[in-house]
Amino acid sequence: MHRNDSDRPPRTPAPRPLLLLDVDGVLNPFAAPACPPGYREHGFFPDDDPPVRLNDSHAPWLALLSARFELVWATGWEDEANTYLAPHFGLPLLPVIRFPPVPFDPAAKVPPIAAFTGDRPAAWVDDAHTAEARLWAESRAARTLLVATDPARGLTEETVRTLLSWWDNPTPL
């Protein structure tokens, strides 16, 4: 029997790759000795010194990235990232990866991230990738990219270009 294309069920598009976002050192350049140009300080947590520093120019970058990736908070901020940062940057509420109580060793991020990502492609932007994170990334079958940021500079245009290029130009096997 001949079957034409209209008889086939529609294909479900593959899910977008995950983009795991840390906050401190990525969106908040906490290690800068003073508030960097283009950033403003916010008193979300009055006892914190320095205060949270955010750059409004990150909003269009995050919007661009959200068109290609499924954004996920991978930060000790957990739900507070949705409370404070999602509205600031015009983002919807994002999924949140749960970590041990703060403070925790950066290597403790790896097991929850591994569980959350499963077999989906993922890019992880963080200022503190550990040897455990690199080993996890290298051992995955799914495409994986670790992007390190300078905690005094945070997210840059170069970082955004790297992420977009990585997903748009896969390396042949």
Side-chain angles (χ1 to χ4, degrees), residues 13-100:
R16 291 174 296 160
L18 299 169
L19 177 53
L20 313 175
L21 290 170
D22 186 21
V23 172
D24 292 325
V26 176
L27 297 174
N28 172 30
F30 71 92
C35 189
Y39 285 79
R40 287 184 301 125
E41 294 185 339
H42 299 267
F44 300 143
F45 309 104
D47 294 335
D48 280 5
D49 185 30
V52 175
R53 299 163 172 168
L54 301 176
N55 189 329
D56 293 343
S57 71
H58 288 166
W61 293 353
L62 293 169
L64 177 64
L65 290 166
S66 72
R68 309 262 184 90
F69 295 88
E70 180 183 338
L71 304 184
V72 178
W73 296 123
T75 172
W77 283 48
E78 293 190 346
D79 293 315
E80 290 175 326
N82 277 326
T83 300
Y84 296 108
L85 302 182
H88 180 87
F89 291 119
L91 297 171
L93 297 180
L94 302 178
V96 175
I97 298 175
R98 304 288 173 199
F99 296 125

Side-chain angles (χ1 to χ4, degrees), residues 131-154:
E132 293 85 355
R134 289 186 288 282
L135 181 62
W136 167 78
E138 291 166 4
S139 68
R140 297 186 78 224
R143 287 182 63 201
T144 305
L145 178 68
L146 300 183
V147 179
T149 58
D150 175 344
R153 293 187 61 216

